[in-house]
């Protein structure tokens, strides 16, 4: 049940570099990389708020819950009838 971080998508839409994003949010580029690569274990609401403010987006634009990921970290589509509850 991983959370996929979509910062790279939002940065690409705005043609914003990681360095500019990091500076405007108040993070180091290394910490942005940790978030982008899905290695972060937590994110503060204040950081999420700053990211949303800088990117003019909603938290759901940056974070996505998926049921499973494959060996490459790509989301595995959920079969809506697999467990009888969807």
């Amino acid at each position: 049940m991983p959370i996929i971080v979509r910062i790279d998508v939002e940065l690409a839409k705005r043609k914003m570099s990681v360095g500019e994003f990091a500076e405007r949010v108040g993070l180091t580029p290394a910490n942005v990389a940790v978030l982008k690569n899905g290695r972060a274990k937590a994110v503060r609401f204040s950081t999420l708020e700053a990211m949303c403010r800088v990117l003019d987006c909603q938290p759901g634009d940056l974070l996505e819950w998926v049921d499973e990921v494959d060996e490459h970290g790509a989301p595995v589509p959920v079969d809506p009838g697999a467990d009888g509850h969807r």
Side-chain angles (χ1 to χ4, degrees):
M1 297 184 289
I3 301 291
I4 305 298
V5 181
R6 302 283 187 206
I7 293 173
D8 54 342
V9 173
E10 297 302 317
L11 290 176
K13 285 181 186 176
R14 291 155 181 81
K15 297 182 172 80
M16 185 182 294
S17 72
V18 169
E20 178 186 353
F21 176 71
E23 184 176 326
R24 290 179 62 186
V25 172
L27 296 172
T28 65
N31 282 339
V32 173
V34 167
L35 286 167
K36 276 182 53 176
N37 297 325
R39 295 189 317 261
K41 298 295 181 195
V43 72
R44 291 181 178 171
F45 281 130
S46 59
T47 302
L48 184 58
E49 178 185 357
M51 292 189 299
C52 289
R53 187 178 339 97
V54 167
L55 296 172
D56 189 28
C57 68
Q58 294 296 312
D61 297 326
L62 299 175
L63 305 172
E64 176 187 4
W65 174 83
V66 294
D67 198 32
E68 296 181 40
V69 293
D70 67 17
E71 64 275 5
H72 304 291
V76 175
V78 175
D79 179 0
D83 63 4
H85 296 296
R86 294 190 179 111

